[in-house]
Amino acid sequence: MMRVEIVGGSAVPVLSTFIAILLPLYSFLFLIEMTNSVGATPEQQTPMTDGLRRSVSSLSSVEKRRSSLPTDDLVDEVEEQFSWTRAIFRRKQIVHPDPDATATKRSVFDDPGLALHYWPKRDYENLHRFDPTARWTYREEKALVRKLDWKIMVTAAIGFAALNLDRSNINQANSGSFLQDLGLTTDDFNLGNTVFKLAFLCAELPSQLVSKRIGPDRWIPTQMCLWSFVSLSQFWLTGRASFLVCRALLGYIPDLILYLSYFYTKTELPVRLALFWMTMNLCAIIASFIAYGTLHMDGVAGAAGWRWLFMIEGILTLLIGILSFFRMPASPTQTKTWFRPNGWFTEREEIIMVNRVLRDDPTKGDMHNREGLTLRRLWTAMCDYDLWPIYILGLMFGIPNTPPSTYLTLLLRDIGFNTFNTNLLTIPSQAFGIITMFVITLVSEFVNERSIVSMMEDLWTLPFLVALYALPSSPNPWVFFAVVTGLLSYPYTHPIQVGWCSRNAGAVASRTVNASLYNMFVQASGIISAQIYVASDAPRYRHGNEILIIICCINVCFLYPGTKAYYIWRNRQRAKIWDAMTTEERAHYLSTTKDIGNRRLDFRFAH
């Protein structure tokens, strides 16, 4: 085993400086959010139905244009989600429409009796481009979506991948002499992960509320820069206290899903989210190669290689964070700025973007992108018991594979591999993970199902956990590597569950809070996971693996089937009431109801 001696040196006051900056900033922004929410005007606090009404003159002008415009050119069929299955295996069966034919989908805005109940709010930031009479072709829409992918999606994916460098580089550092140099034990390492998840959990909801108030286009780059400072400051770690402080200040999941929903329809977003999370595995592969190089820098300027790992990756994230300030527009119609005077999109493209998104989901006009949530809406979203089953899944589904993943480099070192081979041996599971995530996306599309497909992650993990438990006390290193690699190549179904939670939330306001609550339960699962592999059970962690097997069986046999059964029952309840109503009763309900999102009787839960 390779051991590195650290040349001593005094700690610089970097950590205390960043604590002094970050904590007051966080508190100040959160207070601003709450103050603006409590002090919202009555118009901002009214339900969606009351806030949809535009001026009579403006609405009547639209009606005049609509009455003179034929609607038989609208597309009636349900918009099909992009399917990898069709794109790869059934290319010959795909019927491509005439590129110059009208691509505008029919929506509630084409029904004079329903349109008023779904009209965007007067302060919706894209209202000046909203026009129910607008029409566009398949050629125009395809070119626009391609442009969005390059301008919006690529920037978001790069930012997300860069953040994962700062969150996961502790695992690469463990393959070196990180714990020994700081005088830490594996229990201290577990405590650091617990502090990280606990701080993450506490900051998640305030962060999302601030994001909704000031806009994710400002908040995401700001957090990227601040967290990169904390990450690179780990170069000067001196012991247990500074290690725990840095873990407390690191990590978050930005509100990128809400941000991307401003630009994409619900049928375009899932495939992009799948690719989005695949970048996390790709990032881990790149991180392994970076670690392989930086850990060879032992002794440079008298510092260990793992210190240079934190420094280099922190600087990389900082550069990407600064770039994000200039690459994340606030909305489809707000791309013109002092450094981009012509903007990214023409007026015609902005009209197409706004109207196709609102036709796809009229609730996106319920709030503007700088509007904070009221306390009433926050409380309503938190009390939404119909999403509690998904929260419970978020708490439980990732536990069985988290300890082996967190301890991978330590396990490989303990079994006999050296520092540099250990980093390279983490790559196969990440590469196979990309493949299995892609395959589970194919399966999800083919069967159009969420609960049972999401269960496949734990169903994959279970036999490998049993094999890991059954290995002898001193297994062959390569057999052990094969079992652990197979375990960690599981199909990652978290993107499916994130989309599932967003879909079942319904309204934009609810999605922001419910996504935060779901992520908080996911982080809570990390706190539980950090307590399963303990030093007294090292190096094989047999008792810990027993616990993981039991939890995996609970997930597969009870939680996922139970969640599916619950949503089937809830849909049948609502359908029984809704189907018994006459057309007049339904119209009266839509015009008078205070229900929003998944509280409405016409809403059906995905499962």
Side-chain angles (χ1 to χ4, degrees):
M1 297 289 185
M2 178 179 174
R3 291 292 180 266
V4 181
E5 295 294 332
I6 295 291
V7 177
S10 58
V12 298
V14 175
L15 292 174
S16 58
T17 302
F18 287 119
I19 295 172
I21 294 174
L22 286 172
L23 293 183
L25 176 63
Y26 227 123
S27 302
F28 177 71
L29 289 172
F30 181 63
L31 287 174
I32 291 177
E33 159 60 25
M34 289 294 96
T35 302
N36 280 281
S37 297
V38 175
T41 64
E43 176 186 321
Q44 291 174 320
Q45 294 185 354
T46 54
M48 178 181 177
T49 312
D50 297 328
L52 292 175
R53 308 187 187 280
R54 216 167 149 187
S55 65
V56 176
S57 59
S58 176
L59 184 57
S60 61
S61 66
V62 172
E63 290 300 330
K64 288 180 181 178
R65 279 184 289 153
R66 180 171 23 218
S67 62
S68 63
L69 188 69
T71 60
D72 55 358
D73 61 338
L74 295 173
V75 180
D76 288 309
E77 69 267 19
V78 178
E79 184 180 4
E80 291 189 356
Q81 177 176 318
F82 173 84
S83 171
W84 288 106
T85 308
R86 291 194 307 273
I88 296 176
F89 304 111
R90 303 176 185 173
R91 293 183 61 87
K92 294 182 179 180
Q93 300 178 17
I94 299 177
V95 179
H96 297 282
D98 179 1
D100 295 316
T102 299
T104 311
K105 303 295 187 294
R106 194 181 300 277
S107 76
V108 293
F109 297 115
D110 301 305
D111 186 334
L114 294 177
L116 185 62
H117 306 303
Y118 295 92
W119 211 265
K121 291 182 63 174
R122 286 190 293 270
D123 55 357
Y124 173 56
E125 71 275 5
N126 302 313
L127 186 61
H128 62 294
R129 296 292 188 234
F130 175 62
D131 180 6
T133 65
R135 301 290 185 268
W136 56 89
T137 66
Y138 286 100
R139 188 190 304 276
E140 289 178 301
E141 187 169 36
K142 184 177 180 180
L144 177 60
V145 172
R146 188 183 301 113
K147 191 172 183 178
L148 286 171
D149 288 339
W150 281 108
K151 298 290 187 181
I152 305 298
M153 188 65 203
V154 170
T155 300
I158 292 175
F160 185 72
L163 283 169
N164 278 291
L165 286 175
D166 291 340
R167 295 180 59 201
S168 62
N169 53 18
I170 187 72
N171 295 326
Q172 281 82 34
N174 272 340
S175 65
S177 56
F178 176 75
L179 295 181
Q180 296 88 340
D181 292 340
L182 296 181
L184 304 177
T185 66
T186 54
D187 286 342
D188 293 326
F189 176 66
N190 287 340
L191 178 60
N193 285 328
T194 300
V195 169
F196 168 76
K197 297 292 184 181
L198 184 60
F200 193 131
L201 188 153
C202 295
E204 174 70 23
L205 186 56
S207 175
Q208 298 287 10
L209 292 175
V210 172
S211 177
K212 190 67 189 76
R213 182 65 183 88
I214 69 175
D217 56 295
R218 297 171 178 171
W219 186 232
I220 292 172
T222 298
Q223 288 205 61
M224 288 180 66
C225 293
L226 293 176
W227 263 253
S228 67
F229 285 134
V230 178
S231 179
L232 65 89
S233 72
Q234 292 177 107
F235 180 92
W236 293 281
L237 290 178
T238 58
R240 188 172 184 267
S242 56
F243 166 68
L244 295 177
V245 169
C246 275
R247 297 313 292 171
L249 293 176
L250 274 174
Y252 77 105
I253 295 179
D255 202 7
L256 281 169
I257 297 176
L258 176 65
Y259 177 72
L260 293 174
S261 71
Y262 295 161
F263 301 90
Y264 293 101
T265 66
K266 63 176 179 291
T267 55
E268 294 167 345
L269 202 52
V271 65
R272 285 163 177 79
L273 289 181
L275 294 172
F276 194 69
W277 259 277
M278 286 180 192
T279 63
M280 186 170 65
N281 288 52
L282 182 62
C283 173
I285 294 174
I286 296 174
S288 295
F289 283 112
I290 294 176
Y292 183 83
T294 54
L295 291 175
H296 278 85
M297 295 176 65
D298 273 313
V300 175
W306 60 264
R307 295 182 184 272
W308 290 111
L309 175 68
F310 288 132
M311 174 66 76
I312 292 172
E313 292 187 352
I315 292 175
L316 178 61
T317 303
L318 175 61
L319 294 176
I320 295 176
I322 294 173
L323 179 64
S324 297
F325 276 108
F326 303 94
R327 296 290 301 178
M328 294 186 71
S331 76
T333 62
Q334 295 174 301
T335 61
K336 293 182 179 180
T337 63
W338 63 269
F339 55 84
R340 194 167 49 238
N342 296 324
W344 281 341
F345 306 106
T346 64
E347 179 179 338
R348 173 67 176 169
E349 289 173 330
E350 290 180 354
I351 291 174
I352 296 174
M353 275 192 293
V354 172
N355 286 278
R356 75 188 199 96
V357 166
L358 288 180
R359 281 179 171 273
D360 174 72
D361 185 357
T363 64
K364 292 180 180 179
D366 185 29
M367 299 181 73
H368 65 76
N369 60 355
R370 294 285 190 264
E371 181 179 348
L373 296 175
T374 64
L375 293 176
R376 179 180 177 182
R377 277 189 168 182
L378 174 61
W379 178 249
T380 300
M382 293 178 67
C383 294
D384 186 358
Y385 55 82
D386 282 318
L387 287 176
W388 292 356
I390 299 181
Y391 298 158
I392 295 174
L393 292 180
L395 178 68
M396 298 293 290
F397 87 102
I399 294 177
N401 50 58
T402 298
S405 176
T406 303
Y407 270 70
L408 179 59
T409 52
L410 290 175
L411 291 172
L412 293 177
R413 284 294 305 276
D414 289 339
I415 208 70
F417 295 104
N418 64 34
T419 297
F420 307 112
N421 288 339
T422 292
N423 277 285
L424 296 179
L425 290 175
T426 63
I427 295 176
S429 61
Q430 300 294 341
F432 287 132
I434 294 176
I435 296 173
T436 56
M437 189 188 303
F438 182 77
V439 171
I440 204 67
T441 303
L442 293 180
V443 174
S444 178
E445 291 175 351
F446 186 77
V447 301
N448 191 25
E449 214 279 342
R450 293 170 179 82
S451 52
I452 303 303
V453 172
S454 296
M455 186 180 71
M456 292 299 106
E457 177 174 330
D458 286 320
L459 196 61
W460 173 291
T461 303
L462 183 57
F464 287 103
L465 283 175
V466 174
L468 190 63
Y469 176 81
L471 286 176
S473 300
S474 300
N476 180 288
W478 289 107
V479 171
F480 181 85
F481 165 74
V483 172
V484 175
T485 298
L487 190 159
L488 297 180
S489 300
Y490 58 86
Y492 190 50
T493 60
H494 178 59
I496 297 175
Q497 294 187 177
V498 169
W500 188 10
C501 180
S502 177
R503 163 67 175 77
N504 281 358
V508 172
S510 301
R511 287 171 189 162
T512 301
V513 178
N514 295 134
S516 299
L517 292 174
Y518 172 77
N519 282 327
M520 290 171 70
F521 276 85
V522 172
Q523 301 316 310
S525 76
I527 296 175
I528 297 172
S529 301
Q531 314 307 316
I532 295 177
Y533 279 8
V534 296
S536 59
D537 197 25
R540 294 299 318 286
Y541 303 103
R542 292 181 63 86
H543 180 63
N545 288 330
E546 285 180 353
I547 296 174
L548 297 180
I549 291 172
I550 293 172
I551 293 174
C552 204
C553 290
I554 292 173
N555 293 345
V556 171
C557 297
F558 299 102
L559 293 186
Y560 280 103
T563 299
K564 184 174 183 66
Y566 174 78
Y567 284 130
I568 291 175
W569 173 70
R570 288 290 285 151
N571 286 343
R572 287 176 178 172
Q573 271 190 324
R574 294 189 175 186
K576 185 177 180 180
I577 300 173
W578 184 257
D579 294 345
M581 298 170 68
T582 65
T583 303
E584 293 75 16
E585 288 173 332
R586 292 179 182 178
H588 176 72
Y589 169 79
L590 292 174
S591 63
T592 59
T593 183
K594 303 295 184 181
D595 297 334
I596 61 174
N598 63 10
R599 299 289 90 190
R600 293 166 62 112
L601 285 175
D602 57 342
F603 184 89
R604 297 295 177 267
F605 293 100
H607 55 79

